[in-house]
């Protein structure tokens, strides 16, 4: 790619990042670093939702190369190439609208990278300054540096999503890494909040706090499995493999399913590992497992919320988890009965991201509520 194009893209991403950076700069919040972290959380959440919109509108290949669009910085410059591709396939993967959706997604992703670079730069500066003054460092640079390398890994999977033509395992990993970045940023935000105002356990017995902490960790593991299953449904276009609820496949509790092909990871989109078209029974298996594992998620997260309710510092996020679980069940069923409307599908993805954010808060607070030995 030409150096001019890369420079244009870098300048555009910096312009996008300037808005949240300006909000931090002009904020009256005394702790601007904390403000920066939580704005990064907010934008990462929005990017995950917009990424779902990109995927659900089949815009992932709206620009069939990476990082630019036909080697250029934006669809304006690539107008002729996009229109030529659209003329050959009017309903194909490349259209002007899809190109813009894909490039907006990329620019917001690059802007998050810039915000994390700003966090890392400030952390290193303050750490060196405090050490030179003989003071205890106010911010340690290790975690922001980890975030920087993590977002670079996420960017690499974003590139492979395009270059490997939406291979399901790559797209699903890209989704999981996006959720992982949201969790890491939320954890970092929790550290900033804790430094500002430490959490209190309000006399809750240590044994009860330990039980809640273990339940919160288990809930995180269960949610991770469900995120993979949900991503696998979406990236394999298996959302409408079952068009009835709670039954599936012509009124059956256990329909005909092909787990071998459905959950074979290394294969092309819509194909088996041997290169044949993926059987419908494989899509049914993918959908059915995600649908039924949702019951496990509701049971485990619901029980965790019930046990954590007695702890004042955890009550607010667990209320949020309980509300989002209800929303997820409603949007999941509505997606089936209303034949996959875009708005509800995007809401379902937003609910998954909200669960990641809230459950990370619970895990962080549960950890630091434990009394030190």
């Amino acid at each position: 790619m030409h150096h001019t194009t890369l420079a244009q893209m870098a300048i555009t991403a910096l312009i996008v990042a300037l808005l949240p950076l300006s909000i931090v700069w002009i904020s009256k919040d005394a702790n601007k670093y904390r403000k920066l972290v939580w704005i990064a959380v907010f934008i990462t959440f929005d990017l995950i939702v917009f990424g779902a919109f990109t995927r659900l509108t089949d815009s992932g290949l709206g620009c069939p190369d990476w990082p630019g669009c036909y080697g250029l910085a934006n669809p304006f410059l690539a107008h002729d190439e996009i229109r030529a591709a659209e003329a050959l396939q009017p309903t194909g993967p490349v259209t002007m609208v899809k190109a813009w959706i894909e490039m907006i997604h990329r620019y917001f992703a690059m802007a998050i990278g810039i915000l994390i670079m700003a966090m890392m730069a400030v952390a290193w500066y303050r750490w060196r300054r405090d050490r030179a003054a003989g003071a205890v460092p106010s911010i340690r640079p290790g975690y922001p540096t980890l975030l920087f390398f993590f977002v670079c890994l996420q960017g690499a999977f974003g590139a492979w999503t395009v270059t490997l033509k939406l291979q399901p395992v790559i797209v699903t990993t890209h989704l999981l890494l996006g959720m992982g970045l949201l969790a890491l940023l939320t954890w970092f935000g929790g550290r900033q909040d804790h430094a500002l105002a430490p959490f209190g356990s309000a006399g809750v017995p240590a044994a009860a706090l330990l039980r809640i902490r273990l339940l919160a960790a288990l809930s995180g593991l269960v949610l991770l499995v469900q995120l993979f299953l949900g991503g696998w449904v979406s990236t394999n276009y298996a959302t409408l493999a079952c068009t009835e609820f709670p039954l599936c496949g012509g009124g059956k509790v256990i329909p005909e399913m092909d787990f071998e092909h459905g959950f074979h990871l290394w294969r092309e989109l819509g194909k088996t590992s041997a290169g044949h078209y993926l059987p419908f029974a494989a899509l049914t298996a993918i959908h059915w497992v995600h649908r039924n594992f949702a019951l496990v998620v509701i049971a485990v997260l619901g029980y965790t919320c019930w046990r954590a309710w007695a702890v004042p510092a955890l009550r607010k996020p667990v209320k949020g988890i309980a509300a989002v679980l209800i929303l997820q069940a409603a949007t999941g069923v509505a997606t089936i009965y209303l034949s996959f409307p875009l708005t509800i599908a995007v809401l379902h993805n937003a609910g998954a991201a909200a669960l990641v954010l809230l459950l990370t808060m619970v895990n962080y607070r549960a950890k630091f509520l434990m009394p030190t030995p």
Side-chain angles (χ1 to χ4, degrees):
M1 181 174 285
H2 198 277
H3 292 304
T4 303
T5 299
L6 291 175
Q8 289 172 333
M9 295 187 69
I11 292 169
T12 305
L14 183 58
I15 291 171
V16 174
L18 279 176
L19 177 59
L21 288 172
S22 298
I23 291 173
V24 173
W25 184 259
I26 66 175
S27 169
K28 295 180 180 178
D29 195 327
N31 190 337
K32 294 187 186 299
Y33 193 80
R34 172 178 171 272
K35 187 81 170 182
L36 174 61
V37 174
W38 280 112
I39 283 182
V41 171
F42 174 76
I43 296 177
T44 301
F45 179 90
D46 291 341
L47 181 65
I48 290 172
V49 176
F50 193 78
F53 177 78
T54 302
R55 187 173 64 255
L56 293 166
T57 54
D58 295 325
S59 301
L61 295 178
C63 289
D65 55 337
W66 190 93
C69 196
Y70 288 95
L72 299 168
N74 60 63
F76 273 135
L77 300 175
H79 180 274
D80 293 340
E81 291 85 349
I82 295 169
R83 287 303 186 199
E86 190 173 2
L88 288 174
Q89 290 183 288
T91 59
V94 179
T95 67
M96 188 58 71
V97 172
K98 291 179 180 179
W100 271 112
I101 292 173
E102 171 66 0
M103 287 307 296
I104 290 171
H105 175 67
R106 293 184 195 178
Y107 276 122
F108 271 105
M110 285 186 269
I112 288 173
I114 291 171
L115 295 181
I116 289 174
M117 288 170 67
M119 284 182 215
M120 183 173 66
V122 171
W124 278 104
Y125 169 76
R126 290 190 181 179
W127 182 75
R128 289 170 63 90
R129 182 198 64 187
D130 292 342
R131 287 196 65 185
V136 177
S138 57
I139 302 173
R140 297 187 180 274
Y143 200 97
T145 304
L146 169 67
L147 286 171
F148 172 72
F149 284 109
F150 194 92
V151 81
C152 289
L153 177 65
Q154 169 70 334
F157 271 90
W160 294 330
T161 292
V162 177
T163 58
L164 295 177
K165 308 301 181 187
L166 305 182
Q167 187 171 332
V169 69
I170 299 297
V171 181
T172 302
T173 303
H174 186 53
L175 169 66
L176 290 177
L177 288 173
M179 295 292 190
L181 180 62
L182 178 64
L184 287 172
L185 283 166
T186 303
W187 188 275
F188 196 39
R191 288 175 66 172
Q192 308 312 308
D193 289 349
H194 186 63
L196 186 66
F199 309 119
S201 57
V204 180
L209 289 173
L210 177 60
R211 186 183 303 113
I212 291 167
R213 186 179 175 188
L214 293 174
L215 282 171
L218 175 63
S219 295
L221 179 61
V222 168
L223 181 59
L224 176 62
V225 173
Q226 184 68 340
L227 289 172
F228 165 76
L229 293 173
W232 200 240
V233 169
S234 180
T235 56
N236 282 281
Y237 296 88
T239 303
L240 295 180
C242 295
T243 56
E244 52 191 330
F245 181 86
L247 303 177
C248 177
K252 298 177 181 177
V253 175
I254 303 178
E256 180 185 351
M257 291 181 282
D258 181 348
F259 290 97
E260 179 183 356
H261 290 117
F263 288 93
H264 190 96
L265 298 181
W266 298 103
R267 55 178 175 77
E268 294 180 42
L269 176 62
K271 300 289 184 68
T272 66
S273 57
H276 305 301
Y277 285 112
L278 198 65
F280 188 77
L283 299 179
T284 304
I286 294 169
H287 179 111
W288 188 86
V289 172
H290 174 61
R291 175 193 289 191
N292 285 277
F293 196 77
L295 300 176
V296 178
V297 174
I298 291 171
V300 174
L301 269 67
Y303 181 69
T304 301
C305 290
W306 179 65
R307 298 296 306 194
W309 194 272
V311 183
L314 301 180
R315 192 166 297 151
K316 190 172 182 179
V318 299
K319 280 182 180 179
I321 291 172
V324 175
L325 283 175
I326 295 170
L327 173 68
Q328 286 298 86
T331 54
V333 173
T335 297
I336 297 167
Y337 277 115
L338 299 178
S339 300
F340 196 37
L342 178 62
T343 302
I344 292 178
V346 172
L347 276 175
H348 195 63
N349 281 266
L355 285 176
V356 170
L357 191 155
L358 293 165
L359 191 54
T360 302
M361 287 182 177
V362 171
N363 271 279
Y364 182 87
R365 295 184 182 192
K367 176 182 178 181
F368 286 95
L369 286 172
M370 291 292 298
T372 54

